[in-house]
Amino acid sequence: MFGILFASFESMSTTLTLTFKFLSENPRVVEELRVEHEAIVKKRENPNSRLTWEEYRSMTFTQMVVNETLRISNIPPGLFRKALKDFQVKGFTVPAGWTVMLVTPATQLNPETFKDPVTFNPWRWQDLDQVTISKNFMPFGGGTRQCAGAEYSKLVLSTFLHILVTNYSFTKVKGGDVSRTPIISFGDGIHIKFTARA
Ligand SMILES: *[C@@H]1O[C@H](CO)[C@@H](O)[C@H](O)[C@H]1NC(C)=O
Ligand SMILES: *[C@@H]1O[C@H](CO)[C@@H](O)[C@H](O)[C@H]1NC(C)=O
């Protein structure tokens, strides 16, 4: 039951709430998102046409923002794997059959890979190569057991950002304090004021 609620409701709503927190604290990121998305809208032959797959694939900076949010948020506190054979870690033997918890926040917030790891900096993704990314960034797990909703969630977040920055301005009213229990929670939430853009 926990798994169903976590995967379907908690993960997406938490990520979106965090997105608002990070964006409202980093106006430069919102500006750059707006440049990217207004360029997409301007390029359209028919201004009323909907977002296309090609447009989605062209959202480079948006993908950096999504990755950076997922990296810091660490929605799942870790991943479980089963040891198939005995192996050694720092002199300890983990016997075959044991369940191992891989703590992804430890890699996603490792200062050797991600400088100033708790700073929200989407531009850092420009300098990361695919090998480093795949070994240190596992917001959806890895291998054949990667979350089935991985691509879908990124698409939803990017579409949300597209509509948000092209059609609305927003400012934080109050809130945005984050705690972990170990799931992320927001205390008093985060209050956002929206204004439609002309
Ligand atoms: C975002 O992360 C994925 C791995 O989940 C990676 O393949 C992709 O290159 C990253 N995107 C950017 C723009 O860095
Ligand atoms: C965004 O704004 C444009 C232009 O005003 C409008 O055509 C479009 O329907 C709006 N989209 C959404 C999802 O509100």
Side-chain angles (χ1 to χ4, degrees), residues 63-125:
Q63 295 306 320
M64 295 188 211
V65 172
V66 169
N67 279 5
E68 184 69 349
T69 308
L70 294 170
R71 182 188 69 80
I72 298 187
S73 61
N74 280 301
I75 303 282
L79 312 169
F80 293 108
R81 289 294 184 272
K82 188 172 168 185
L84 294 178
K85 52 182 186 188
D86 293 6
F87 67 91
Q88 302 271 326
V89 183
K90 294 188 176 167
F92 295 93
T93 302
V94 179
W98 276 33
T99 297
V100 177
M101 184 177 179
L102 171 70
V103 181
T104 44
T107 58
Q108 294 185 185
L109 299 176
N110 178 355
E112 280 168 27
T113 319
F114 304 103
K115 199 171 161 282
D116 298 329
V118 292
T119 303
F120 180 76
N121 174 12
W123 289 277
R124 71 169 81 241
W125 291 86

Side-chain angles (χ1 to χ4, degrees), residues 60 63-64 67 125-126 130 133 137 139-140 154:
T60 315
Q63 295 306 320
M64 295 188 211
N67 279 5
W125 291 86
Q126 282 167 337
Q130 286 301 330
I133 293 176
F137 177 61
F140 299 105
K154 287 195 261 186

Side-chain angles (χ1 to χ4, degrees), residues 99-167:
T99 297
V100 177
M101 184 177 179
L102 171 70
V103 181
T104 44
T107 58
Q108 294 185 185
L109 299 176
N110 178 355
E112 280 168 27
T113 319
F114 304 103
K115 199 171 161 282
D116 298 329
V118 292
T119 303
F120 180 76
N121 174 12
W123 289 277
R124 71 169 81 241
W125 291 86
Q126 282 167 337
D127 306 321
L128 294 166
D129 61 86
Q130 286 301 330
V131 176
T132 309
I133 293 176
S134 66
K135 286 193 177 157
N136 296 282
F137 177 61
M138 286 167 250
F140 299 105
T144 50
R145 287 170 188 262
Q146 165 158 304
C147 168
E151 292 306 321
Y152 175 72
S153 339
K154 287 195 261 186
L155 180 69
V156 170
L157 290 169
S158 307
T159 309
F160 187 94
L161 285 173
H162 175 75
I163 296 169
L164 178 70
V165 301
T166 49
N167 285 37

Side-chain angles (χ1 to χ4, degrees), residues 18-37:
L18 275 171
T19 303
F20 276 112
K21 173 182 165 63
F22 292 141
L23 292 186
S24 58
E25 289 168 0
N26 294 276
R28 261 187 70 216
V29 175
V30 181
E31 271 166 40
E32 184 139 350
L33 279 173
R34 223 163 243 149
V35 168
E36 181 161 277
H37 288 277

Side-chain angles (χ1 to χ4, degrees), residues 39-53:
I40 288 174
V41 173
K42 261 202 203 102
K43 252 170 93 187
R44 279 183 193 154
E45 286 172 19
N46 174 1
N48 295 321
S49 65
R50 295 191 184 177
L51 199 58
T52 65
W53 182 247

Side-chain angles (χ1 to χ4, degrees), residues 172-176 188-192:
K172 187 175 101 172
V173 179
K174 61 173 181 167
D188 288 337
I190 177 163
H191 298 236
I192 301 285

